[in-house]
Amino acid sequence: MVEASELLEAVVGEVDGVLLFAPTAAIYERFEDTGVDVVVVASEDDVDADTFVELPVEFQDLYDRVRFGIEGALDRDLLAEGDVVACVSSVFDEELDTISRVRVDADASSGVYDLFANARAEPDVLRSVLELVIELGKKGQKGQPVGALFVVGDAGKVMNKSRPLSYNPFEKSHVHVGDPIVKVMLKEFSRLDGAFVISDAGKIVSAYRYLEPSAEGVDIPKGLGTRHMAAGAVTRDTNATAIVLSESDGMVRAFKGGSLVLELDPEEY
């Protein structure tokens, strides 16, 4: 197999920029020396890149990774409409081994970058909730699949558009969703009905909430049920983000602004 680094000259000679996904320092320096604009897309800026887009989730699907990187670079004005970019990533192992050429289309934005970068909730909070839901999707509850709904951000308005289904165990607490012990509690509570409501800063405001926004006009993919409809409706009427674990197919889906913006299979993480 030809390594991506061996195709360097062919790559940079025909593109306006390069997106490097989690490169080593040596590979980054080699691309940087070509004079072509290089954007590093990774969970950490280990190579001290001049231009960097933080990758909040290690997307296993290459399309999701590339999509996030392009939307992040567009948002930060590192790319422009019509640019042709080389996306260099790894698929088969830890080395960069795959190159794709993509023409930037600003109108084709999926909203996946906006989900993390421009949400009311802090990015670390969204990441914590997403990691929790992915783990719950992998293990289920005592080996059985479960469904869950987390509404993150704009908690005051979400509470006004919902009602309690049961006693709120978090009413007088100040626990954070990122706390490992709290995650164990949330996994136990997730088997019961209702949504979790989490503040912008990660405080768990409530469990067991019935979301009441009207679903009229909410457009979700066919086959998705009431949890997904409620997620779409509450994010349309508030500035919250909703993350749903589907009990039927095990997929994790995120909604913002009334639309589905992210879909993940927990088994791939």
Side-chain angles (χ1 to χ4, degrees):
M1 180 184 297
V2 178
E3 294 185 2
S5 58
E6 296 177 12
L7 302 177
L8 179 62
E9 292 184 6
V11 170
V12 301
E14 301 179 355
V15 297
D16 301 301
V18 175
L19 296 186
L20 287 180
F21 291 81
T24 63
I27 290 177
Y28 171 67
E29 289 173 3
R30 193 170 179 187
F31 274 91
E32 189 181 34
D33 289 341
T34 64
V36 175
D37 292 337
V38 178
V39 179
V40 170
V41 185
S43 57
E44 300 285 345
D45 186 9
D46 295 328
V47 299
D48 195 24
D50 293 332
T51 50
F52 172 68
V53 173
E54 183 180 359
L55 193 66
V57 179
E58 291 295 336
F59 297 105
Q60 298 302 304
D61 186 276
L62 180 59
Y63 174 78
D64 289 332
R65 260 182 284 168
V66 169
R67 182 175 65 171
F68 186 93
I70 289 176
E71 292 182 18
L74 272 171
D75 185 76
R76 299 186 56 198
D77 295 324
L78 303 176
L79 294 177
E81 172 74 27
D83 281 353
V84 176
V85 295
C87 302
V88 186
S89 187
S90 60
V91 172
F92 299 100
D93 53 39
E94 295 182 356
E95 296 296 324
L96 298 179
D97 54 29
T98 302
I99 298 172
S100 56
R101 293 176 72 252
V102 181
R103 184 175 296 277
V104 175
D105 181 1
D107 293 332
S109 175
S110 67
V112 62
Y113 178 80
D114 182 66
L115 172 67
F116 290 93
N118 300 314
R120 270 191 59 133
E122 297 174 6
D124 286 347
V125 173
L126 282 172
R127 184 185 296 112
S128 292
V129 174
L130 194 57
E131 289 173 349
L132 169 65
V133 177
I134 287 173
E135 186 174 349
L136 190 59
K138 284 181 178 180
K139 298 181 180 179
Q141 188 62 250
K142 297 182 180 179
Q144 298 298 317
V146 297
L149 170 56
F150 291 79
V151 185
V152 189
D154 207 3
K157 189 175 287 186
V158 173
M159 292 293 283
N160 288 335
K161 290 183 175 291
S162 62
R163 58 180 171 82
L165 289 173
S166 182
Y167 167 72
N168 175 19
F170 300 102
E171 185 172 5
K172 296 182 179 180
S173 70
H174 296 279
V175 295
H176 191 279
V177 69
D179 188 318
I181 296 177
V182 174
K183 286 186 176 182
V184 174
M185 295 170 56
L186 291 175
K187 289 175 186 177
E188 290 298 319
F189 290 137
S190 65
R191 59 192 171 86
L192 302 175
D193 289 336
F196 294 94
V197 179
I198 299 170
S199 74
D200 297 344
K203 177 181 179 295
I204 303 175
V205 177
S206 183
Y208 312 136
R209 299 296 293 188
Y210 177 79
L211 303 178
E212 296 185 307
S214 170
E216 184 177 354
V218 175
D219 184 20
I220 65 171
K222 291 182 179 179
L224 300 184
T226 55
R227 272 197 188 92
H228 298 87
M229 186 65 74
V234 75
T235 61
R236 177 201 58 194
D237 292 353
T238 70
N239 289 320
T241 299
I243 299 176
V244 184
L245 172 62
S246 173
E247 185 173 1
S248 59
D249 65 10
M251 296 294 286
V252 175
R253 297 178 176 91
F255 291 80
K256 187 179 178 188
S259 299
L260 174 65
V261 295
L262 181 65
E263 186 173 66
L264 301 173
D265 183 347
E267 297 301 330
E268 294 182 352
Y269 290 82

